[in-house]
Amino acid sequence: MGGTDEGTAAGTDWRAWQESWDRQQEWYMPDREERFRVMLDMVEATVGPKPGVLDLACGTGSITDRLLARFPEATSTGVDLDPALLTIARGHFAGDERVTLVTADLKDPAWTDSLPHTSYDAVLTATALHWLHSEPLAALYRQIGTLVRDGGVFMNADHMKDASTPRINAAERAHRHAGMERARAAGALDWAEWWALAAKDPVLAGPTAERFRIYGEHADGDTPSAQWHAEALGAAGFAEARPVWASPSDALVLALK
Ligand SMILES: C[S@@+](CC[C@H](N)C(=O)[O-])C[C@H]1O[C@@H](n2cnc3c(N)ncnc32)[C@H](O)[C@@H]1O
């Protein structure tokens, strides 16, 4: 996706990389954009239209992108560990003083030391915390409980599985995968194909090799139920927590401090 100055960061079309990331993620989650819309509705409902946001495990910054398009007076700190996705985010938000991007490992107990602020109106995350096992995730929730100001909000949109409904889960999965196969036949890229493209890009090749050294193909985590998330957030100091949106495979859990 190089532009006229092929091979240099200045010639890279960051918007095109951002959009191709979004298409790849939508192949797994056709409702992804609706999830973002409801998340931002609930930001507005709880902390208003000028929030200081932490975009947790931001990747290329898709949440921050939607946040700033809808609330131009918002600010955002994006934090992630992936050097390739952060390279796209840095290119995409270059020169935008509302955005700060931070490299940190959310499993490192000292990761909050890297943040530019000690408190946020809203901490938002999507399709990311299933990369963590439940125990480190509960520890992360306790840290988020201290980062969100009183009256502030945390929201997690992710795959959340209910193990008590195996037949419903199997039917939903088969239906979703049939749709994915049709989209694939129409040209949609999956995770591995998208990363293979990034590995061939002159600017992204180095950071892509580095992200595979860090993570391998994908981290190995858990997908607990929405109820588990709500209870863990209650234990982490939030006053109220419940799902505010759900699809057959995913949920958006909101916790209010
Ligand atoms: C599927 S991507 C989602 C990115 C973005 N939130 C979105 O919706 O497009 C998952 C992200 O979680 C990040 N992540 C996973 N484990 C992490 C960790 N321990 N520390 C920081 N980031 C992590 C990955 O680097 C990746 O960017």
Side-chain angles (χ1 to χ4, degrees), residues 26 56 73 96 146 152 172 174 179 190 206 223 238 249:
E26 281 164 3
L56 193 73
E73 292 182 76
D96 191 330
T146 66
E172 180 282 315
D190 72 6
T223 49
F238 288 89
S249 60

Side-chain angles (χ1 to χ4, degrees), residues 26-30 171-188:
E26 281 164 3
W27 181 63
Y28 296 93
M29 286 154 288
E172 180 282 315
R173 187 176 188 283
H175 184 263
R176 180 162 39 89
H177 279 256
M180 287 165 77
E181 285 315 313
R182 284 194 298 277
R184 191 74 185 282

Side-chain angles (χ1 to χ4, degrees), residues 135-219:
E135 220 169 276
L137 178 54
L140 178 64
Y141 277 176
R142 288 192 287 277
Q143 289 182 301
I144 294 169
T146 66
L147 274 177
V148 172
R149 69 155 166 88
D150 285 346
V153 72
F154 168 72
M155 276 183 260
N156 177 16
D158 207 351
H159 315 307
M160 296 186 189
K161 286 193 182 152
D162 185 337
S164 71
T165 59
R167 288 169 58 211
I168 298 173
N169 299 353
E172 180 282 315
R173 187 176 188 283
H175 184 263
R176 180 162 39 89
H177 279 256
M180 287 165 77
E181 285 315 313
R182 284 194 298 277
R184 191 74 185 282
L189 293 185
D190 72 6
W191 178 260
E193 289 165 333
W194 190 87
W195 280 111
L197 266 192
K200 280 195 223 132
D201 182 85
V203 179
L204 291 175
T208 296
E210 179 59 19
R211 72 85 49 203
F212 277 95
R213 271 193 292 278
I214 294 171
Y215 286 121
E217 182 74 15
H218 195 295

Side-chain angles (χ1 to χ4, degrees), residues 24 27 34 58 73 78 111 118 129 141 175 179 182 186 244:
Q24 176 254 112
W27 181 63
E34 191 194 327
C58 62
E73 292 182 76
W111 72 273
T118 53
L129 300 187
Y141 277 176
H175 184 263
R182 284 194 298 277
V244 289

Side-chain angles (χ1 to χ4, degrees), residues 15-178:
R15 158 82 35 205
W17 275 110
Q18 172 75 257
E19 287 175 358
S20 96
W21 170 260
D22 287 338
R23 297 296 87 75
Q24 176 254 112
Q25 288 286 292
E26 281 164 3
W27 181 63
Y28 296 93
M29 286 154 288
D31 302 319
R32 181 169 179 259
E33 219 49 55
E34 191 194 327
R35 250 176 26 167
F36 288 145
R37 179 186 62 74
V38 175
M39 181 182 269
L40 295 183
D41 280 350
M42 295 312 293
V43 166
E44 188 171 32
T46 53
V47 293
K50 301 178 191 176
V53 166
L54 177 61
D55 182 351
L56 193 73
C58 62
T60 61
S62 300
I63 292 177
T64 296
D65 180 70
R66 278 53 167 188
L67 173 82
L68 297 178
R70 179 158 163 186
F71 305 122
E73 292 182 76
T75 58
S76 181
T77 304
V79 60
D80 204 285
L81 183 60
D82 186 313
L85 299 183
L86 279 173
T87 297
I88 296 173
R90 290 207 168 90
H92 182 64
F93 296 109
D96 191 330
E97 289 182 356
R98 299 169 298 178
V99 181
T100 309
L101 293 161
V102 171
T103 299
D105 183 350
L106 300 175
K107 289 190 206 160
D108 174 354
W111 72 273
T112 56
D113 295 351
S114 312
L115 298 175
H117 308 291
T118 53
S119 174
Y120 288 88
D121 299 313
V123 177
L124 308 176
T125 189
T127 330
L129 300 187
H130 69 273
W131 290 44
L132 272 61
H133 286 291
S134 301
E135 220 169 276
L137 178 54
L140 178 64
Y141 277 176
R142 288 192 287 277
Q143 289 182 301
I144 294 169
T146 66
L147 274 177
V148 172
R149 69 155 166 88
D150 285 346
V153 72
F154 168 72
M155 276 183 260
N156 177 16
D158 207 351
H159 315 307
M160 296 186 189
K161 286 193 182 152
D162 185 337
S164 71
T165 59
R167 288 169 58 211
I168 298 173
N169 299 353
E172 180 282 315
R173 187 176 188 283
H175 184 263
R176 180 162 39 89
H177 279 256

